[in-house]
Amino acid sequence: MADCVFCKIIAGEIPSNKIYEDETVYAFYDIQPEAPVHFLVVPKQHISGPSAVHEDNCAVVGHIYAVISHLAQELGLSNGYRVVTNCGNDGGQTVPHLHFHVLGGRSLAWPPG
Ligand code: 5GP
Ligand code: ZN
């Protein structure tokens, strides 16, 4: 998708600190970390956000959770972590390409503001 920052990262047109990649997903560290460990997992297919997930493209979401579980273990998040997906303006989504924040390495407040 032209002009999508995460599509450009996946294509290697914008550099990123990559953690993991396979046929359908890409994981990289967030440029503005909100926790000692903060990375993003995204589908390689451009899906604009949670509201664009449907029966025909939802398999990747399950795979992303399996990747998150694997990476969290690899990165030492044995004490827990948070997975966040923001949706739309009220949800605080700033990049319109579906992504899962994984935050860990400290105790996280709940509920969010
Ligand atoms: P959102 O606000 O949409 O839930 O999250 C977007 C996230 O993408 C933010 O945490 C922001 O720091 C991160 N981000 C935006 N642009 C870039 C970039 O060019 N590189 C990386 N690594 N992260 C980015
Ligand atoms: Zn995209």
Side-chain angles (χ1 to χ4, degrees):
M1 177 99 173
D3 289 336
C4 170
V5 64
F6 288 174
C7 281
K8 287 182 178 168
I9 284 175
I10 292 159
E13 293 163 14
I14 293 176
S16 68
N17 198 349
K18 182 174 90 174
I19 305 170
Y20 175 85
E21 176 178 18
D22 64 24
E23 270 184 24
T24 57
V25 310
Y26 192 93
F28 55 107
Y29 285 104
D30 197 292
I31 204 168
Q32 245 183 306
E34 299 290 347
V37 176
H38 183 179
F39 62 91
L40 304 170
V41 186
V42 308
K44 285 189 168 174
Q45 179 193 1
H46 181 87
I47 298 171
S48 61
S51 56
V53 174
H54 305 296
E55 289 297 337
D56 57 352
N57 65 9
C58 68
V60 71
V61 175
H63 179 54
I64 282 173
Y65 267 90
V67 167
I68 287 171
S69 172
H70 171 74
L71 294 180
Q73 201 170 349
E74 250 187 17
L75 295 171
L77 301 181
S78 55
N79 209 36
Y81 54 90
R82 183 170 295 161
V83 182
V84 175
T85 298
N86 297 321
C87 183
N89 287 336
D90 283 358
Q93 183 180 6
T94 59
V95 177
H97 180 128
L98 181 65
H99 53 282
F100 294 76
H101 296 258
V102 181
L103 301 127
R106 67 170 170 85
S107 181
L108 299 158
W110 187 262

